[in-house]
Amino acid sequence: MGSYYGNILEEELKNKVAQDLFEGFDTTQIIGRVDFCVSVPGDPLGLNEPESLLWAEAKQGTKHDIYESFIQLILTLGKERPQDTLLPPSFLGAFDAEKIAFLPYSAILDVLHQNDFNWNVAPSDHKTKEFLQLYSLLKDSLNNGLEIYQYERDSKELMHFIRHNFNLQKRKGESHIRINKNNFTHIYFKWLQAVKPTININWDVAKKAGIIDADFYLADILSKENNTLREKLFVLLQDDHYLLDRQVNDLGLTDFMRAEFTDKQVAHTQFWNKYARPPRREYWDEIVNRRDLLVPPDVRERKGSFFTPARWVELSQQYIAAELGEDWQEHYFVWDCCAGTGNLLAGLQKKHNVYASTLDKADVQVMKQLNFLLDKHTFQFDFLNDPFFDVTDEKGNVVIKSKLPASLQDILRDPEKRKKLVIYINPPYAEVGTTKQRTGSGKNKTGATITHYTYLKYKPLIKQAATELFAQFFIRIYDEIPSSVLAEFSTLKILQAQNFLDFRQIFRAKLGRNFLVPAKSFDNVNGNFPIGFFIWHTDHKESFEKTTTDVYTLDGKYYGKKTIYLYENAKPLTRWLMSFNNEFVLEGRIGDMNGGRNDFQNQNLVYIANHISTERTQHAAFHFTKDNLFVGIIFFAVRLCIEATWLNDRDQFLFPNDGWQSDVEFQKNCLVFTLFHGQNRISSQHGTNHWIPFTEEEVNAQERFESHFMSDYLAGKIQPEAPQQGNLFEKAKEEEAATAMLSDEAQAVMDAGRELWRYYHAQPNANPNASFYDIRLYFQGTKTLPSGKVMMNTDSTDATYTTLITNLRQRLKELAKAIEPKVYEYGFLKQ
């Protein structure tokens, strides 16, 4: 076959591709906004849904970036979620008039399970932050997984691929849908509705006992003729009932619990009549190993059932080898004491030296089933509650028997062997008393930590940090397994957080090699912040002050280095700002500013408005006057000229050195930046607008402005009074700043702003006192969210305005780049 002519319409292209490549298949199915679907028809009676083989993005023309087409398709799936109600396809695809490409659906399964990603964007807009983020995340997967064919050049290879992977004859007449690594999660959600309610179990009570529905589902799909084929799973299906929690008693007999059906297994039988069980043998381990995809988020958070991405597992083991020696596995023992299903231990070769424990019995059974560790080294253990050794009464009788293997107890008792023990963990991050959660659920975990033995023992010592589960793990390891090596994944709280001050007084291990990665690279982790891998030597006592760490991007590529500082003795920039504030000023007040909190993660809290109440912000607002204007605008520009990213998320803004005082260009740049930034929400609807930077003549205003404060200030007509107490300015320097020439970048912003103002004032109903916020609101309008909140739209239907505002924003970005080096030079941020 040859290429299609370049100007062929998209609908005609889809018809020709269907006819030329997929003759005999059903290509008429419409699935939401997916452009093109290939499927095997369902049965004539409609009892089974069609089996999808391909969902694809189609593009008119011949010069499209095939990668971008895939990202658009994936965004469409993430936004509309057809895979939640329909069986997902074997392949995703993208094609235009010149070429077609295929990608296994399983390659993007993890991405579609990210519930913290903002899927609510237009998939066709290739310039959104989300589109670019997804492109970066999936680029390597696309490089490695795509099969791309030119219609003309690769026609033989293309037809071979389709015959091999889209075999219609093999599928015709099949009455059962085959379970595979692509659809097992989709079928699970259907199973929850049809089968779970008929299992005679109190699920709320069972959940508290560590029994979850996912294990019953695994028992079902890995079965043949209603008998589970894998004996080591936590739950087994045996004909018409389930067996679970099997244990050998003192007589050598097996004790177990039994769960039966409430409807004589009717719903179970009807449901599984639609599917072919078990899956192909090659999928068994992968399905069992991704049990975490079926675990409820609250259980995952409490138990630490989070799947550490394989690239970070491999990288962390490389760092351990660099720290302890290339042959470290020959000489060290390893214990993952919150192992989940054990994927952090993948790649370790000396399984006789490796131990894995977890809170969940079912996870223990999964690890044993995967058979990459010794059974005796894989065990249930509540690290925050259970004793390491037997507990005896005053007569020497054992009252609580240790659950640890004897060989591990021997290591913990021996000081020399402890030096060769690596505690290698990715612990749970749940915390009590706050709404910050690893899964972003927004729910307090009150009770999740306070009942632990470890919490009760160490709360008096580490105080606020005891509310963090991972801190409880670390302090018990440090105190009760001294001289061991702790290799762990965690946030930067242990290094920087103010509520970890008491923790750091106790935990004084020496920090070795470490690296940072984006939190979003972990399953269901919410927030744009770094997660680090840190190696601690508990036998060396050393207080942390700073470390220079390696940084890796979302797709696993080395980015560079970053220095992480301890900020305990540093003075925050918010305190510097408020030293120039007159909290009770009324006369001469031209606006208020909320200074927010002191790091990048709270950038959105920094804004300017006509009036800000203390009740709303929980702390005093900064009041702008002509005497402290430059202090406020420098603070505003310093806080907002650098974009908040996952990497700088925890960086703190600090008291500056004196260099900025004589840098007039820097001060002027900050003023212009503040005037045209979107967080400047001054509005004439809420009082007099003192922030118009132009005269009436400059913008052809139809009426006189109510205030000329800002244009007069820029022209040097308004001078501050004698410096207030604590003011770092000298009057002469402020006068010089007010009349100085603008930098090229600042002048470009002023010119672009002037054009925007002129266009607005050419409108017949223009408000002469309109602020920058008012002008944007006029052209962009508002929308009402489902919550009832009214927000400004992000774009406008006015093409001229769109051109003008786009130009202004670009000039503002260039000005921000000019300000940024000075932020570090003057000490507002540490380099």
Side-chain angles (χ1 to χ4, degrees):
M1 62 178 293
S3 296
Y4 303 103
Y5 54 91
N7 61 347
I8 185 174
L9 296 176
E10 184 178 308
E11 288 303 315
E12 186 179 357
L13 174 63
K14 289 190 289 186
N15 291 336
K16 287 186 176 295
V17 167
Q19 179 181 336
D20 294 345
L21 300 182
F22 301 103
E23 186 178 4
F25 291 93
D26 182 3
T27 57
T28 62
Q29 192 177 14
I30 298 175
I31 299 178
R33 296 183 184 276
V34 177
D35 286 343
F36 185 77
C37 305
V38 177
S39 61
V40 176
D43 63 274
L45 297 178
L47 299 176
N48 293 321
E49 61 184 285
E51 182 179 355
S52 292
L53 304 179
L54 176 70
W55 292 348
E57 180 73 22
K59 292 292 182 185
Q60 181 181 359
T62 61
K63 302 301 181 183
H64 291 281
D65 182 334
I66 206 76
Y67 285 23
E68 290 190 357
S69 296
F70 272 100
I71 300 303
Q72 181 173 336
L73 174 61
I74 294 165
L75 278 170
T76 300
L77 300 183
K79 183 176 185 179
E80 299 198 354
R81 311 299 300 179
Q83 66 275 12
D84 291 347
T85 55
L86 299 171
L87 283 170
S90 302
F91 290 92
L92 299 181
F95 60 87
D96 59 17
E98 177 186 49
K99 57 191 174 292
I100 188 169
F102 303 92
L103 179 74
Y105 178 82
S106 59
I108 56 106
L109 196 58
D110 279 344
V111 173
L112 291 176
H113 275 84
Q114 291 188 19
N115 60 17
D116 59 318
F117 184 81
N118 176 26
W119 295 105
N120 194 29
V121 295
S124 58
D125 186 349
H126 294 192
K127 295 181 180 180
T128 64
K129 179 181 70 174
E130 289 76 12
F131 189 98
L132 298 174
Q133 180 182 337
L134 205 57
Y135 190 104
S136 175
L137 174 63
L138 289 172
K139 190 172 183 180
D140 282 350
S141 297
L142 294 174
N143 281 335
N144 298 328
L146 275 189
E147 301 249 5
I148 305 178
Y149 300 95
Q150 300 279 337
Y151 298 128
E152 187 169 1
R153 185 191 66 196
D154 306 319
S155 60
K156 290 183 179 179
E157 292 84 355
L158 171 58
M159 297 313 297
H160 174 78
F161 177 88
I162 292 174
R163 283 194 300 270
H164 181 73
N165 293 283
F166 296 77
N167 192 326
L168 184 63
Q169 295 303 317
K170 184 174 65 176
R171 295 167 185 263
K172 279 185 176 178
E174 290 184 357
S175 59
H176 299 89
I177 297 169
R178 295 167 303 164
I179 300 170
N180 56 46
K181 61 183 179 181
N182 294 330
N183 63 20
F184 81 98
T185 55
H186 165 83
I187 296 171
Y188 165 68
F189 291 115
K190 288 181 173 290
W191 179 93
L192 288 178
Q193 301 298 317
V195 178
K196 178 183 174 180
T198 69
I199 302 173
N200 192 20
I201 283 183
N202 184 322
W203 291 105
D204 292 333
V205 175
K207 187 176 179 181
K208 294 177 182 177
I211 299 170
I212 60 174
D213 50 53
D215 294 305
F216 290 80
Y217 173 69
L218 288 177
D220 276 1
I221 62 173
L222 295 176
S223 67
K224 185 175 183 179
E225 296 177 356
N226 277 350
N227 281 275
T228 303
L229 299 174
R230 284 201 153 181
E231 286 293 325
K232 292 182 179 179
L233 289 178
F234 180 62
V235 176
L236 301 179
L237 175 64
Q238 289 198 347
D239 296 321
D240 60 352
H241 61 274
Y242 298 96
L243 299 181
L244 60 153
D245 199 20
R246 303 177 312 283
Q247 298 179 12
V248 178
N249 60 28
D250 294 339
L251 298 176
L253 302 175
T254 301
D255 292 330
F256 55 83
M257 292 190 290
R258 176 177 173 133
E260 299 186 342
F261 295 96
T262 60
D263 66 343
K264 297 183 180 181
Q265 208 176 0
V266 172
H268 183 272
T269 300
Q270 292 177 349
F271 180 82
W272 288 116
N273 280 343
K274 302 175 185 178
Y275 302 97
R277 295 181 293 165
R280 292 210 303 259
R281 181 64 180 80
E282 64 195 76
Y283 297 139
W284 290 14
D285 284 352
E286 188 166 352
I287 288 173
V288 171
N289 199 33
R290 290 318 310 265
R291 172 183 178 270
D292 65 297
L293 296 175
L294 312 177
V295 176
D298 60 326
V299 176
R300 286 159 61 91
E301 183 171 298
R302 180 168 53 87
K303 295 182 177 179
S305 303
F306 288 90
F307 196 85
T308 309
R311 59 187 178 278
W312 306 142
V313 173
E314 181 181 354
L315 186 64
S316 66
Q317 292 175 13
Q318 292 174 10
Y319 272 66
I320 295 174
E323 185 77 9
L324 303 180
E326 198 65 36
D327 59 348
W328 73 280
Q329 292 188 56
E330 299 281 350
H331 307 292
Y332 283 82
F333 305 101
V334 178
W335 181 18
D336 184 349
C337 54
C338 45
T341 54
N343 79 296
L344 189 60
L345 303 175
L348 297 183
Q349 304 300 317
K350 301 295 180 181
K351 63 181 181 180
H352 287 80
N353 290 345
V354 180
Y355 298 85
S357 62
T358 182
L359 189 63
D360 194 338
K361 287 183 181 179
D363 281 341
V364 173
Q365 296 304 120
V366 167
M367 285 189 281
K368 289 182 176 181
Q369 184 65 59
L370 294 173
N371 201 32
F372 63 92
L373 300 172
L374 297 179
D375 276 7
K376 290 186 177 180
H377 287 194
T378 309
F379 53 97
Q380 184 188 17
F381 184 75
D382 184 349
F383 189 86
L384 300 181
N385 272 320
D386 293 340
F388 293 158
F389 311 109
D390 292 348
V391 177
T392 59
D393 59 20
E394 62 276 6
K395 296 180 180 179
N397 299 317
V398 175
V399 292
I400 302 178
K401 188 169 181 60
S402 173
K403 298 177 183 177
L404 300 185
S407 57
L408 181 55
Q409 292 187 51
D410 179 60
I411 295 169
L412 297 182
R413 283 195 174 97
D414 188 324
E416 292 304 313
K417 290 182 179 179
R418 280 202 307 268
K419 293 179 181 178
K420 296 295 184 180
L421 175 62
V422 178
I423 310 293
Y424 181 32
I425 56 174
N426 180 13
Y429 296 171
E431 56 183 284
V432 65
T434 176
T435 55
K436 289 183 179 179
Q437 306 294 326
R438 184 170 186 172
T439 63
S441 64
K443 297 179 181 178
N444 257 344
K445 289 297 173 188
T446 304
T449 58
I450 59 175
T451 59
H452 291 305
Y453 149 82
T454 304
Y455 176 90
L456 297 174
K457 178 178 179 180
Y458 292 104
K459 174 66 165 65
L461 297 175
I462 64 173
K463 298 184 172 59
Q464 285 179 282
T467 61
E468 303 271 1
L469 280 180
F470 81 90
Q472 294 181 32
F473 275 88
F474 294 173
I475 200 63
R476 188 179 190 193
I477 292 166
Y478 181 81
D479 188 54
E480 299 181 33
I481 316 178
S483 302
S484 62
V485 176
L486 172 60
E488 51 84 7
F489 287 91
S490 66
T491 66
L492 303 189
K493 289 182 179 180
I494 187 174
L495 306 179
Q496 295 181 317
Q498 192 64 30
N499 61 349
F500 272 65
L501 175 61
D502 295 294
F503 178 92
R504 286 189 288 269
Q505 298 297 320
I506 305 296
F507 187 93
R508 298 182 61 247
K510 180 181 179 181
L511 178 59
R513 285 173 172 81
N514 53 89
F515 63 81
L516 298 180
V517 300
K520 285 184 178 292
S521 61
F522 287 75
D523 280 2
N524 289 293
V525 178
N526 189 27
N528 201 29
F529 58 90
I531 286 180
F533 177 73
F534 305 98
I535 302 174
W536 301 92
H537 299 273
T538 65
D539 58 343
H540 289 77
K541 308 304 177 188
E542 184 178 286
S543 296
F544 173 76
E545 294 183 359
K546 69 176 183 178
T547 184
T548 299
T549 186
D550 296 328
V551 179
Y552 293 86
T553 60
L554 204 60
D555 55 3
K557 294 180 180 178
Y558 178 72
Y559 175 79
K561 293 187 178 292
K562 178 179 176 60
T563 302
I564 303 171
Y565 295 94
L566 176 66
Y567 292 108
E568 278 180 12
N569 298 316
K571 293 189 290 184
L573 184 62
T574 48
R575 193 182 304 166
W576 175 82
L577 172 72
M578 299 310 290
S579 69
F580 297 97
N581 193 39
N582 182 346
E583 188 174 347
F584 305 104
V585 66
L586 294 176
E587 190 174 344
R589 186 165 152 188
I590 62 171
D592 288 353
M593 177 168 61
N594 181 27
R597 302 189 184 96
N598 207 57
D599 53 17
F600 274 98
Q601 65 176 314
N602 292 292
Q603 290 294 71
N604 63 325
L605 298 180
V606 179
Y607 68 94
I608 297 171
N610 299 64
H611 177 74
I612 299 174
S613 66
T614 301
E615 291 77 14
R616 182 175 180 180
T617 62
Q618 303 300 311
H619 50 78
F622 178 82
H623 304 314
F624 283 100
T625 68
K626 66 183 179 65
D627 299 323
N628 65 10
L629 178 64
F630 262 104
V631 176
I633 58 93
I634 287 172
F635 176 93
F636 183 91
V638 163
R639 288 299 308 268
L640 297 176
C641 71
I642 302 173
E643 183 181 357
T645 68
W646 71 268
L647 187 56
N648 65 20
D649 185 67
R650 266 43 175 181
D651 289 359
Q652 300 285 319
F653 291 88
L654 308 172
F655 259 67
N657 58 45
D658 293 340
W660 65 272
Q661 295 182 51
S662 57
D663 191 338
V664 174
E665 181 178 285
F666 167 71
Q667 297 171 21
K668 203 73 170 191
N669 283 347
C670 290
L671 175 56
V672 174
F673 179 87
T674 303
L675 291 173
F676 297 95
H677 195 278
Q679 292 291 90
N680 185 337
R681 302 174 191 166
I682 291 289
S683 173
S684 60
Q685 298 177 29
H686 303 297
T688 302
N689 173 18
H690 298 286
W691 294 73
I692 304 174
F694 308 110
T695 64
E696 292 91 341
E697 292 77 12
E698 286 183 280
V699 296
N700 300 323
Q702 301 173 31
E703 294 284 349
R704 187 177 186 278
F705 298 156
E706 186 177 343
S707 170
H708 298 87
F709 174 86
M710 194 57 67
S711 59
D712 286 349
Y713 193 88
L714 285 164
K717 297 178 181 179
I718 296 178
Q719 302 296 337
E721 300 295 334
Q724 300 170 343
Q725 184 178 1
N727 197 329
L728 298 178
F729 290 112
E730 296 176 11
K731 184 176 180 181
K733 289 179 180 176
E734 281 229 30
E735 291 173 355
E736 182 185 356
T739 58
M741 293 287 292
L742 294 176
S743 68
D744 291 343
E745 294 85 357
Q747 188 61 57
V749 172
M750 289 290 290
D751 292 343
R754 188 181 300 105
E755 291 304 312
L756 176 63
W757 248 263
R758 284 175 178 168
Y759 181 65
Y760 170 75
H761 283 287
Q763 307 306 309
N765 55 344
N767 172 8
N769 298 304
S771 67
F772 179 49
Y773 177 88
D774 296 331
I775 293 173
R776 290 163 51 225
L777 186 64
Y778 176 86
F779 288 109
Q780 294 175 206
T782 61
K783 60 183 176 183
T784 303
L785 301 179
S787 63
K789 183 178 180 180
V790 178
M791 291 186 64
M792 187 188 300
N793 292 319
T794 56
D795 54 16
S796 171
T797 57
D798 188 308
T800 302
Y801 167 78
T802 299
T803 300
L804 293 172
I805 195 70
T806 300
N807 179 53
L808 175 56
R809 287 168 177 163
Q810 182 57 40
R811 302 289 83 79
L812 196 70
K813 287 181 180 179
E814 293 165 2
L815 178 59
K817 288 295 183 184
I819 298 171
E820 181 176 346
K822 302 292 186 178
V823 174
Y824 294 99
E825 179 182 341
Y826 299 143
F828 292 101
L829 286 172
K830 289 188 176 183
Q831 194 77 44

